[in-house]
Amino acid sequence: MTVQAQNIDAITAGAVPHEEAELTDGFHLVIDALKLNGIETIYNVPGIPITDLGRLAQAEGLRVVSFRHEQNAGNAAAIAGFLTKKPGICLTVSAPGFLNGLTALANATTNCFPMILISGSSEREIVDLQQGDYEEMDQLAIAKPLCKAAFRVLHAADIGIGVARAIRAAVSGRPGGVYLDLPAKLFSQVIDADLGARSLVKVIDPAPAQIPAPASVARALDLLKGAERPLIILGKGAAYAQADEAVRALVEESGIPYVPMSMAKGLLPDTHPLSAGAARSTALKDSDVVVLVGARLNWLLSHGKGKTWGEPGSKRFIQIDIEPREMDSNVEIAAPLVGDIGSCVEALLEGIRKDWKGAPENWLQTIRTKREANIAKMAPKLMKNTSPMCFHSALGALRTVIKERPDAILVNEGANTLDLARGIIDMYQPRKRLDVGTWGVMGIGMGFAVAAAVETGKPVLAVEGDSAFGFSGMEVETICRYDLPVCIVIFNNNGIYRGTDTDPTGRDPGTTVFVKDSRYDRMMEAFGGVGVNVTTPDDLKRAVDAAMDSGKPTLINAVIDPAAGSESGNIGSLNPQSTLKKKK
């Protein structure tokens, strides 16, 4: 972990040194600091000035996964943080590479994924005078507004404390993205090895439990025990917390129906008798007391108001969140519980076990009736075996795949592909569904798929819209290069939303249309993976089973009716449409 060199002072003085001094440098100190804190994997795109950092990290036992684009490497690091509760590390070059990674960093912060973006940068004295250094940019100033914290290290002796601060900031309290700026000159700085070793910091208890106040717990229990139609909403924060047994106990011992947000699916199986996912609209509209566990009342929950939530004033909310400022963000929170999810859920459980009478049976029957009706209504759509496929029939086949392979990880993005899969594909285990999250961004697919395979060793099924795949599709080469057990299914309907739009002038293709009948499967074949083209749900099921059984990188081009799909999927109301006719 060190380098050997002649005694520098002796050489400078012209004297012959009596002995060699053991030295270390910035490269090795960064690696040592990460390893000391249990970091095992780096996701990166090599280049100036961090190429050797990646090489040396690999030589020192860290796994270094190199991508084709920094945004995808950043997305991989972000979801690695979600899966492991340790900050995922993304390493990028300066300026443009940093900016590419910054999109993933901002998305990680919004989604509360612990991640550290480490970027090489230009020299401070040149940047500050704007003298035109190679890829000159004040990266720290740009990063600060878009992440939880940002730090710059200028001296090798401060690398240990810089890495420690970044780790603690990423995982403590509400997790998020952190930027760590390392100027090029830092890497070659040489210091005494013993001094370097003593400068490293092992972060102790980086995310300590935060116990809710007893009065807050009592207030929440009083409200909950007076409820006639209680409901629990599980958010991805509940999945991140890894308090799985406590969350299950809260639902089962209280007998309260629950609705999981998409990345919380599987905390309890979607087939659980208390799951109200298939009766979501009824559950939200008719409930009277709602317990939010790691979920936020943002746009994904209609901000806690409007017709989604029934009559104004008909709801009272209990909210569990580690961030006090989240309370009352859109509506009044009657009983805020500030603390970590595990501690808050355990506190509620203790109170429920004393004198809880259970959720009223008539409310449970209302949820059951609506759920069963919706499932029955959906069933015929999922069983069709037509060609070309529609979204429902294709997802029906994949629904069976996940049911038979509950340990597999599902990555999902797109418009219709995402929206419909959320409701159709049941999940059975926690942290097995990874999708676009809070921002609803496209392009997370391949980065998430790579990290899911690397971090868990489990088979990955990535279900992609053809538009969403285009944002990160070149990473199929990365998947093949590392021989990862990833099966990608592209729902190919020849366009964004659908493939039937036209240019009224007749000059160009419609703005949402792709090349007709594209063969994405041949991309995977070009890099040595397996490519398959399918046109029916039965063929799709057989192809996915073969891929998951083999563990070989596979891409399945699933031909979907070009007319299938709705504008913007289920959030078309957010996409403004002009109602004016073209002026003559």
Side-chain angles (χ1 to χ4, degrees):
M1 303 295 286
T2 61
V3 294
Q4 296 289 332
Q6 295 286 335
N7 184 290
I8 296 173
D9 291 337
I11 293 173
T12 303
V16 177
H18 293 291
E19 60 181 24
E20 292 181 341
E22 191 173 16
L23 305 176
T24 190
D25 62 13
F27 285 111
H28 291 89
L29 286 170
V30 171
I31 296 165
D32 289 350
L34 294 174
K35 291 183 68 175
L36 180 65
N37 284 285
I39 301 299
E40 299 174 346
T41 306
I42 294 173
Y43 300 94
N44 94 132
V45 174
I48 299 172
I50 51 85
T51 309
D52 267 5
L53 181 59
R55 288 175 176 145
L56 291 167
Q58 188 178 58
E60 294 295 343
L62 290 171
R63 189 168 192 187
V64 181
V65 181
S66 294
F67 283 74
R68 303 298 291 264
H69 193 281
E70 291 89 354
Q71 185 171 321
N72 304 324
N75 284 326
I79 207 64
F82 172 77
L83 290 169
T84 66
K85 298 187 73 174
K86 296 191 296 186
I89 306 297
C90 176
L91 181 62
T92 81
V93 302
S94 51
F98 153 76
L99 290 174
N100 288 340
L102 193 57
T103 300
L105 185 70
N107 190 49
T109 303
T110 300
N111 280 286
C112 308
F113 299 156
M115 169 191 169
I116 301 173
L117 174 64
I118 301 176
S119 294
S121 64
S122 298
E123 303 311 327
R124 296 307 315 153
E125 61 270 25
I126 304 178
V127 172
D128 290 344
L129 282 173
Q130 300 178 24
Q131 293 178 316
D133 200 8
Y134 171 72
E135 294 188 348
E136 177 183 294
M137 179 178 288
D138 191 352
Q139 295 170 197
L140 187 75
I142 293 169
K144 278 183 177 180
L146 299 173
C147 59
K148 186 179 176 186
F151 306 101
R152 175 183 290 128
V153 181
L154 296 177
H155 305 290
D158 293 329
I159 287 172
I161 203 71
V163 169
R165 294 204 68 189
I167 290 171
R168 190 176 292 278
V171 299
S172 62
R174 172 174 282 180
V178 175
Y179 174 60
L180 188 60
D181 188 279
L182 304 181
K185 284 184 179 178
L186 176 73
F187 296 115
S188 58
Q189 284 184 25
V190 176
I191 65 172
D192 179 81
D194 183 62
L195 175 63
R198 286 186 281 115
S199 72
L200 300 181
V201 177
K202 182 175 177 58
V203 182
I204 306 300
D205 198 13
Q210 296 188 27
I211 311 299
S216 298
V217 177
R219 184 186 303 117
L221 287 168
D222 286 344
L223 182 58
L224 193 58
K225 289 175 180 179
E228 295 181 0
R229 298 177 302 281
L231 178 69
I232 294 172
I233 296 180
L234 302 175
K236 68 175 177 293
Y240 172 80
Q242 297 191 19
D244 304 340
E245 293 306 315
V247 169
R248 176 186 281 269
L250 176 64
V251 170
E252 293 183 338
E253 294 187 30
S254 70
I256 298 174
Y258 69 94
V259 169
M261 302 301 287
S262 61
M263 283 182 61
K265 285 166 66 71
L267 269 171
L268 291 89
D270 284 334
T271 53
H272 194 283
L274 288 170
S275 174
R280 175 187 168 111
S281 296
T282 297
L284 297 186
K285 180 173 65 70
D286 293 344
S287 57
D288 62 349
V289 174
V290 180
V291 185
L292 299 164
V293 184
R296 293 176 281 187
L297 288 174
N298 54 23
W299 70 277
L300 290 164
L301 283 171
S302 302
H303 307 285
K305 49 194 173 185
K307 63 180 181 180
T308 299
W309 291 95
E311 291 297 320
S314 63
K315 303 286 180 294
R316 302 192 75 187
F317 291 97
I318 299 167
Q319 184 165 8
I320 298 174
D321 204 290
I322 204 166
E323 173 52 68
R325 292 175 297 178
E326 183 61 37
M327 310 302 175
D328 308 316
S329 59
N330 275 295
V331 297
E332 177 186 8
I333 302 301
L337 271 176
V338 178
D340 69 277
I341 287 172
S343 297
C344 290
V345 170
E346 290 284 3
L348 285 179
L349 261 175
E350 184 179 347
I352 283 173
R353 285 166 175 162
K354 290 179 180 178
D355 56 356
W356 176 252
K357 296 179 182 179
E361 178 57 31
N362 61 343
W363 170 235
L364 297 178
Q365 185 57 47
T366 297
I367 296 295
R368 281 195 295 266
T369 301
K370 188 64 176 178
R371 181 183 66 213
E372 290 166 5
N374 286 343
I375 291 173
K377 183 179 179 180
M378 180 74 70
K381 297 180 181 180
L382 306 182
M383 296 173 65
K384 293 180 180 178
N385 192 38
T386 56
S387 177
M389 294 178 281
C390 67
F391 286 96
H392 286 85
S393 60
L395 288 169
L398 299 181
R399 181 175 188 259
T400 304
V401 170
I402 294 299
K403 182 178 181 180
E404 294 172 351
R405 304 169 188 269
D407 201 33
I409 296 177
L410 175 68
V411 174
N412 188 205
E413 64 175 334
N416 296 278
T417 307
L418 170 76
D419 291 339
L420 294 171
R422 280 172 169 160
I424 291 172
I425 300 180
D426 290 330
M427 305 305 297
Y428 303 88
Q429 297 179 16
R431 291 169 296 282
K432 298 298 186 181
R433 179 183 167 83
L434 311 176
D435 66 29
V436 300
T438 305
W439 265 354
V441 299
M442 297 296 102
I444 54 87
M446 297 303 97
F448 279 20
V450 169
V454 168
E455 298 292 342
T456 71
K458 302 295 184 182
V460 177
L461 175 62
V463 182
E464 302 272 311
D466 49 358
S467 173
F469 175 73
F471 285 79
S472 62
M474 192 61 190
E475 301 301 345
V476 297
E477 187 274 333
T478 305
I479 291 168
C480 289
R481 187 174 1 124
Y482 289 92
D483 194 27
L484 298 174
V486 175
C487 174
I488 304 161
V489 176
I490 298 179
F491 280 19
N492 183 2
N493 68 343
N494 293 345
I496 301 171
Y497 311 136
R498 53 184 173 265
T500 56
D501 282 2
T502 59
D503 176 3
T505 71
R507 180 177 57 191
D508 291 321
T511 58
T512 61
V513 171
F514 298 148
V515 172
K516 186 179 179 181
D517 300 329
S518 296
R519 291 292 299 275
Y520 294 100
D521 50 304
R522 291 175 179 169
M523 287 181 61
M524 184 64 95
E525 291 176 346
F527 298 112
V530 177
V532 185
N533 186 65
V534 301
T535 58
T536 70
D538 285 352
D539 289 343
L540 175 58
K541 173 68 163 55
R542 281 191 289 268
V544 174
D545 281 339
M548 304 290 271
D549 287 341
S550 72
K552 295 178 181 177
T554 303
L555 191 153
I556 300 169
N557 185 64
V559 179
I560 304 293
D561 184 350
S566 60
E567 182 80 18
S568 303
N570 288 344
I571 57 173
S573 60
L574 301 181
N575 193 9
Q577 305 285 308
S578 174
T579 57
L580 297 178
K581 294 182 179 179
K582 181 179 178 181
K583 294 181 179 180
K584 296 182 179 178

